[in-house]
């Protein structure tokens, strides 16, 4: 449980700041996303970093309980898999990213989902 709380305290505030930033500055994040997708080396390097962080989380927190801790585990697995996809096929990542940017509400929906998950992690990390 201590590992779960530590990771919730670590991941929650970062996700919260990113979600709020996305919701408050949608056009800025859209422009930043376009720039990111135009840089295969940046996609690759982010894949290395995200995969490393995801594997670290999975190695120390592979908890499949029917409670809030599974969010941390899923976050780790998504990082490991998402990072690997960025490393292996950055051109596919660009195609999917550009398609998502073409949907006007995709970033808002993503921001709201991240905000809710971040709030849950912050709650259990800091207040529960």
């Amino acid at each position: 449980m201590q590992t779960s709380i530590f990771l919730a305290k670590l991941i929650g505030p970062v996700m919260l700041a990113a979600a709020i930033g996305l919701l408050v500055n949608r056009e800025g994040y859209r422009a930043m996303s376009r720039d990111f997708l135009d840089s295969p080396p940046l996609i690759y390097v982010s894949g290395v970093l995200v995969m490393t962080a995801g594997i670290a989380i999975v190695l120390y927190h592979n908890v499949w309980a029917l409670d809030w801790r599974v969010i941390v585990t899923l976050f780790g697995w998504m990082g490991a898999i998402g990072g690997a996809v960025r490393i292996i096929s950055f051109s596919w990542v660009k195609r999917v990213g550009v398609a998502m940017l073409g949907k006007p509400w995709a970033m808002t929906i993503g921001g709201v989902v991240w905000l809710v998950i971040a709030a849950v992690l912050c709650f259990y990390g800091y207040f529960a």
Side-chain angles (χ1 to χ4, degrees):
M1 185 67 98
Q2 284 300 96
T3 303
S4 301
I5 293 170
F6 171 78
L7 289 171
K9 286 180 176 180
L10 180 66
I11 297 167
V14 176
M15 284 182 73
L16 190 64
I20 292 170
L22 174 60
L23 293 171
V24 170
N25 188 12
R26 233 181 356 181
E27 287 311 310
Y29 273 68
R30 186 177 302 280
M32 183 172 52
S33 296
R34 278 191 217 102
D35 290 345
F36 173 82
L37 292 169
D38 283 337
S39 176
L42 192 53
I43 293 171
Y44 177 83
V45 169
S46 72
V48 170
L49 296 172
V50 169
M51 185 175 179
T52 302
I55 290 172
I57 292 169
V58 168
L59 287 174
Y60 285 96
H61 191 280
N62 200 17
V63 177
W64 293 98
L66 290 177
D67 60 22
W68 69 272
R69 297 174 298 161
V70 77
I71 295 171
V72 176
T73 300
L74 290 172
F75 190 81
W77 278 107
M78 286 188 300
I81 294 166
V85 169
R86 291 178 193 181
I87 293 167
I88 294 166
S89 185
F90 46 82
S91 60
W92 181 79
V93 170
K94 179 177 181 171
R95 281 194 307 276
V96 171
V98 168
M100 291 300 290
L101 287 174
K103 299 182 186 331
W105 292 101
M107 291 185 82
T108 302
I109 292 169
V112 170
V113 169
W114 273 64
L115 185 67
V116 169
I117 294 170
V120 168
L121 291 176
C122 286
F123 173 78
Y124 282 104
Y126 290 97
F127 303 111

